[in-house]
Amino acid sequence: MGQAQGRPLPLAGVRVLDISQVMAGPYACMLLGDLGADVVKIEPPGTGDQTRGSMGFKMKGADSLGFLNMNRNKRSIVLDLKSEAGKSVLLRLVRDADILIENYRPGAMRRLGLGYEALREINPRLVYTSISGFGQTGPWSDRPGFDLMAQAMSGVMSVTGYPDSPPVKAGVPVADIGCALFAIYATLAAYIGARDTGQGQYVDAALFDSAMAFSVWDICDYWGTGQPPQPLGTANKMTAPYQAMASSDGHFVMGANNQKLWVQLCTLMGREELLQDARFSTIALRLAHRAELQDELEKTFRQKPKDHWVETLLANGIPAGPILSYPEAFGSEHAQARRMRMEIDHPVEGRVPNIGFAVKLSGTPQQVRRHPPLLGEHTAEVLEELGIGGEEQARLRAQGALGT
């Protein structure tokens, strides 16, 4: 509908310089591109973004499917920022940029003469966002930071898995994706402010901080009781029963997470005696006797298959669901209706699958305007927009600005 009405995407006209690699930075910049921003991905000569060569299987071309899923709606140029000529080109790009996002090790951009203090002299309204493992300040700031380290050192891994099991990380990169989302909300807020004041600002986003921000229930439990929270498997520290349960043919999830639903569940299962059991009479007591509660409920759940219980519970207003693999989830009717898998035309790969847009806008729906770029695909195009013609491009190449 938004396209039919001719309305521009919300970030149309916003220029973003993406000087990031791997996940949090590229993912954040892709989200801005999905919303209409002109994202110029600045990559080092040779390999470009490290993710181009990642994953354990090959595509037709040199780029991994992971790269193709984090870099749509961007243009790629190659710049050697270690060369004076390459830095000079970046400075020209900065003049008209609105946002710069980078994820070099803390202090690296400043040592190159490309830190926030230097660039705001060229463009005072620039919003400069740095993404790192542990932030720009603090005793851990100079450590290399990846999702695994952030999960481990933020406390996330201490509550993931089952009691007495070896350490387990969250199955998805919660620190990377969480940091990307936190970085985007702060970056866009700073951009809105800069439009009114003409003054940009520096955004310091850390995987460590972002992972800790997810700890609301767990850290409040500790602050309130003085007891460090422990892993609970699929269970929940706020209410019970609210977890995976075993049936006759596998597990499913369910949640009778308030007193009304608890009464409904016991009645539906024909287990009214549980309503009289002193161990289970309140949420607090059910939490204190979670293991016994699970045992009692699974005596009944194990009598029939998981699909029966999911359908029965849902039909009676009790939340429940199957535990799906990724192929099952993406292949489900609901995921298809929500368009959570889409295909993008690519000049080398043909049609490539991409994860769909996680939120939907009614008036200006996100669009795939550009395929994930080949390395340096738009170098000449972007330079020409800066007024750098063929002769000067050749000179910059000879000076090492554009690689070989």
Side-chain angles (χ1 to χ4, degrees), residues 11-263:
L11 298 183
V14 176
R15 168 66 65 87
V16 177
L17 303 181
D18 175 6
I19 314 179
S20 66
Q21 299 193 49
V22 189
M23 189 164 215
Y27 191 85
C29 291
M30 181 183 73
L31 296 181
L32 296 175
D34 288 348
L35 292 169
D38 176 19
V39 180
V40 177
K41 185 174 181 68
I42 298 166
E43 303 189 67
T47 58
D49 186 329
Q50 297 173 34
T51 311
R52 287 185 181 272
S54 68
M55 307 190 74
F57 60 92
K58 290 294 184 182
M59 305 286 285
K60 295 177 184 176
D63 297 335
S64 74
L65 195 53
F67 176 87
L68 300 180
N69 267 268
M70 290 185 288
N71 289 282
R72 63 178 175 247
N73 285 329
K74 300 180 184 181
R75 299 190 286 171
S76 169
I77 73 169
V78 169
L79 280 183
D80 185 350
L81 297 181
K82 295 180 180 179
S83 73
E84 292 302 318
K87 286 189 282 189
S88 72
V89 175
L90 179 64
L91 296 178
R92 292 172 73 166
L93 283 166
V94 164
R95 292 173 190 167
D96 294 320
D98 299 290
I99 295 167
L100 182 151
I101 296 180
E102 62 91 13
N103 66 348
Y104 279 56
R105 287 276 289 272
M109 289 288 278
R110 185 173 61 253
R111 289 189 292 273
L112 290 171
L114 300 173
Y116 174 61
E117 297 297 330
L119 298 193
R120 74 173 179 178
E121 295 296 322
I122 298 169
N123 181 354
R125 60 183 178 78
L126 180 70
V127 176
Y128 189 119
T129 298
S130 291
I131 293 175
S132 63
F134 297 95
Q136 304 298 308
T137 60
W140 296 346
S141 63
D142 61 347
R143 295 191 181 196
F146 294 95
D147 181 86
L148 178 63
M149 289 71 200
Q151 287 197 37
M153 299 171 71
S154 65
V156 169
M157 284 179 64
S158 75
V159 296
T160 305
Y162 284 85
D164 302 319
S165 73
V168 178
K169 72 176 183 67
V172 294
V174 292
D176 269 324
I177 298 297
C179 188
L181 298 177
F182 285 127
I184 287 304
Y185 105 85
T187 298
L188 289 176
Y191 167 72
I192 292 169
R195 288 193 308 180
D196 294 333
T197 66
Q199 296 296 313
Q201 58 182 299
Y202 186 70
V203 178
D204 177 1
L207 273 65
F208 175 76
D209 299 2
S210 299
M212 292 188 80
F214 289 126
S215 70
V216 177
W217 297 128
D218 301 283
I219 195 59
C220 287
D221 190 29
Y222 170 67
W223 287 338
T225 67
Q227 299 297 315
Q230 301 297 313
L232 296 173
T234 63
N236 183 275
K237 63 178 72 277
M238 301 299 295
T239 190
Y242 184 85
Q243 64 190 89
M245 292 286 181
S247 70
S248 65
D249 65 347
H251 288 78
F252 67 99
V253 294
M254 55 77 59
N257 54 337
N258 60 43
Q259 198 66 18
K260 177 182 177 182
L261 290 175
W262 167 243
V263 173

Side-chain angles (χ1 to χ4, degrees), residues 311-392:
E311 292 170 7
T312 300
L313 293 176
L314 289 176
N316 288 272
I318 299 172
I323 300 171
L324 303 179
S325 67
Y326 275 125
E328 291 170 330
F330 276 85
S332 67
E333 291 181 351
H334 191 73
Q336 292 177 38
R338 298 292 295 170
R339 301 183 66 184
M340 286 310 299
R341 173 185 163 133
M342 58 186 177
E343 293 196 340
I344 294 177
D345 289 318
H346 189 271
V348 174
E349 304 296 341
R351 300 279 285 177
V352 293
N354 257 224
I355 298 172
F357 303 118
V359 294
K360 281 72 174 174
L361 278 68
S362 64
T364 55
Q366 299 99 314
Q367 303 164 27
V368 178
R369 297 169 292 111
R370 295 181 179 275
H371 62 259
L374 304 176
L375 178 59
E377 181 178 353
H378 305 96
T379 300
E381 174 182 302
V382 173
L383 293 179
E384 287 170 2
E385 292 173 1
L386 292 175
I388 300 175
E391 290 185 9
E392 190 174 357

